[in-house]
Amino acid sequence: MEKKTVRDVDVHGKRVLVRVDFNVPISNGVVTDNSRVKAALPTIEYLINHGAKVILMSHLGRPKGVEDKLRLDPVAQTLADVLGKEVEKVDETIGPEAKEAVDKMKSGDVLLLENLRFDEREKKNDPEFAKELAGLADVYVDDAFGASHRAHASIVGVARYIPAVAGFLLEKEVDTLESLLKNPKRPLVAVLGGSKVSDKIGVIDKFLDIVDSLLIGGGMCFTFLKAQGYNIGKSLLEEDKIDYCRDAIKKAQEKNVNMYLPSDIVIAQEISPDTEARVVSVGSISDGWMGLDIGPDTISVYRGVVRGGRTIFWNGPMGVFEIDQFSRGTEEIAKAIVEATQAGATSVVGGGDSIAALKKYHLEEKVSFVSTGGGASLELLEGKQLPGVEVLLA
Ligand code: ADP
Ligand code: MG
């Protein structure tokens, strides 16, 4: 990465303000998945070990003003548990209470500020709010990769007032995703699925320039199939993206990208666990039925391509994996990615639902890299500069 990191600044005895992504799922006051907290540990532990006063800040959910159920207290508890160390929590982001807590800190102490989005000025990148935040510290560290595509006060604004550097998670994310674009081991295989074509257009465009094979599944494949003239029944369709899909298919041919679309589909009349499901060829989807997973022939072709890859990127489930009878495509592709990884390929998985699928099959430890940022990963792969990265010291 061409930006300075925590390694490049003297943090000893300094107040270091770290933006983390602790936007975690909470149920009945308990954090139900601590992976994002764990992902920030390398930076936090480095800072503690180098004698910094560690001031952490994050957003959680989408509060309108102060909402008690979106306070960060459960997150502070989870962090204390995984860190094996006391974590102090204050009930505000800026203000006298926060200042006083910071003043009392000693080297190696950890403090967590309140949910940044309780203040509406956070999302507006308000300069006054950013200045107040920056006023709490001597150095700023961005380790919130998943939020770094947003020009918010805690991501972009603070960097204007104090020296700003990257944390280890941010560095690892940017390095991994950029090396996928720049010098991947070939063949480079991308597997794209999920619900919408429109969410992934930037990535499809970029991948058409760089990948060897592009496998399309999930809800988005039906707009492609429609563009090829198939009847898709009541499958997910983005009418206004049919032309785009037709062009993408043509572009793939021109650029010698092997683009794969499903040859068979699991269909049903409704999205439910006990409705009747059938496997049909793509040409035989009847009116009133919808495609909810890729079929067995498609799985077998896709598995072969994935296992032949030396770099594999996956974003977007192959079907409605939340329901067992539509989950086979996603599970089999995930397993093929793991097999390829065990045979020496580099695999990168991004996207909230794709990661949830990996977790469901207990495979998240078996791929090379799981990107913690959904939107941020996609924007980076599209070749965009992330606002949060751009403002860091070079
Ligand atoms: P990610 O979060 O990994 O980027 P998306 O949010 O784009 O993935 O898409 C995930 C969602 O797509 C899942 O909830 C899944 O149920 C849905 N999905 C996948 N295939 C289909 C399909 N054929 N029809 C409707 N929804 C689908
Ligand atoms: Mg999603």
Side-chain angles (χ1 to χ4, degrees):
M1 182 156 108
E2 287 143 15
K3 293 291 184 177
K4 287 210 161 61
T5 72
V6 278
R7 285 183 216 93
D8 301 312
V9 285
D10 177 19
V11 297
H12 193 90
K14 299 271 167 52
R15 298 167 301 165
V16 180
L17 181 63
V18 190
R19 175 59 157 99
V20 285
D21 181 4
F22 284 171
N23 186 27
V24 293
I26 293 181
S27 164
N28 299 321
V30 178
V31 174
T32 52
D33 180 352
N34 65 8
S35 12
R36 283 190 168 162
V37 176
K38 281 189 178 158
L41 284 184
T43 299
I44 297 172
E45 284 172 342
Y46 174 94
L47 289 170
I48 294 171
N49 294 337
H50 285 74
K53 301 170 184 175
V54 188
I55 309 159
L56 303 169
M57 57 177 174
S58 176
H59 75 281
L60 174 65
R62 294 182 172 157
K64 292 188 177 67
V66 176
E67 284 182 36
D68 279 337
K69 65 177 194 308
L70 290 175
R71 287 192 181 278
L72 289 182
D73 299 66
V75 183
Q77 186 54 55
T78 297
L79 176 61
D81 291 344
V82 295
L83 206 52
K85 185 180 165 61
E86 197 187 319
V87 172
E88 213 199 316
K89 154 82 183 22
V90 281
D91 295 336
E92 57 183 29
T93 41
I94 53 169
E97 202 188 312
K99 283 200 188 90
E100 196 186 324
V102 170
D103 283 343
K104 281 199 209 130
M105 289 177 84
K106 295 189 211 63
S107 284
D109 282 355
V110 180
L111 174 75
L112 178 63
L113 303 177
E114 189 54 277
N115 191 344
L116 285 159
R117 289 195 189 160
F118 284 176
D119 197 311
E120 58 171 26
R121 293 175 296 174
E122 158 67 357
K123 285 175 85 169
K124 291 180 183 155
N125 192 14
D126 178 272
E128 269 311 307
F129 182 62
K131 195 175 174 184
E132 293 273 347
L133 282 173
L136 295 171
D138 308 298
V139 178
Y140 167 73
V141 176
D142 180 5
D143 213 22
F145 176 71
S148 290
H149 59 314
R150 302 197 175 107
H152 292 173
S154 67
I155 297 283
V156 165
V158 286
R160 226 169 278 148
Y161 304 100
I162 48 178
V165 298
F168 297 125
L169 175 63
L170 184 74
E171 179 188 41
K172 175 90 184 147
E173 291 270 8
V174 172
D175 281 348
T176 304
L177 295 172
E178 281 186 346
S179 69
L180 196 109
L181 295 177
K182 281 178 192 145
N183 42 21
K185 292 179 287 180
R186 292 190 179 272
L188 169 58
V189 178
V191 187
L192 291 179
S195 43
K196 289 191 190 151
V197 180
S198 50
D199 285 348
K200 320 253 156 118
I201 281 182
V203 188
I204 298 172
D205 283 343
K206 183 74 191 180
F207 282 171
L208 285 173
D209 286 332
I210 62 165
V211 302
D212 298 292
S213 299
L214 181 57
L215 307 177
I216 309 255
M220 72 147 104
C221 77
F222 297 98
T223 305
F224 281 93
L225 292 171
K226 181 86 183 174
Q228 288 195 316
Y230 290 109
N231 181 19
I232 58 164
K234 56 175 186 179
S235 306
L236 217 58
L237 171 67
E238 284 174 279
E239 197 88 50
D240 60 337
K241 293 295 172 287
I242 297 174
D243 287 342
Y244 170 82
C245 290
R246 197 176 291 125
D247 288 347
I249 294 168
K250 214 171 106 204
K251 204 171 148 197
Q253 281 164 351
E254 286 161 12
K255 291 179 179 273
N256 281 324
V257 170
N258 300 307
M259 185 194 270
Y260 292 81
L261 290 168
S263 58
D264 60 345
I265 301 286
V266 180
I267 58 169
Q269 286 170 295
E270 54 181 279
I271 304 181
S272 91
D274 33 45
T275 188
E276 184 206 343
R278 295 179 186 168
V279 176
V280 296
S281 75
V282 276
S284 312
I285 305 175
S286 314
D287 290 341
W289 291 70
M290 62 185 133
L292 297 172
D293 195 10
I294 55 175
D297 290 345
T298 307
I299 290 177
S300 133
V301 172
Y302 283 19
R303 280 181 61 92
V305 177
V306 166
R307 277 153 61 198
R310 295 194 64 217
T311 306
I312 301 144
F313 175 77
W314 176 35
N315 173 284
M318 295 291 98
V320 181
F321 75 98
E322 297 92 338
I323 295 177
D324 279 344
Q325 59 173 343
F326 310 119
S327 71
R328 228 191 114 218
T330 304
E331 180 170 8
E332 292 299 320
I333 294 307
K335 284 186 183 157
I337 294 172
V338 168
E339 283 167 35
T341 312
Q342 283 161 351
T346 301
S347 53
V348 179
V349 182
D353 293 291
S354 310
I355 295 168
L358 271 186
K359 284 185 177 155
K360 182 172 172 188
Y361 310 125
H362 307 288
L363 298 175
E364 77 267 33
E365 309 282 344
K366 296 188 172 163
V367 295
S368 315
F369 188 70
V370 174
S371 178
T372 55
S377 325
L378 294 183
E379 286 196 19
L380 205 95
L381 286 174
E382 287 168 28
K384 287 189 191 155
Q385 270 270 8
L386 304 185
V389 176
E390 225 164 358
V391 295
L392 302 177
L393 293 174

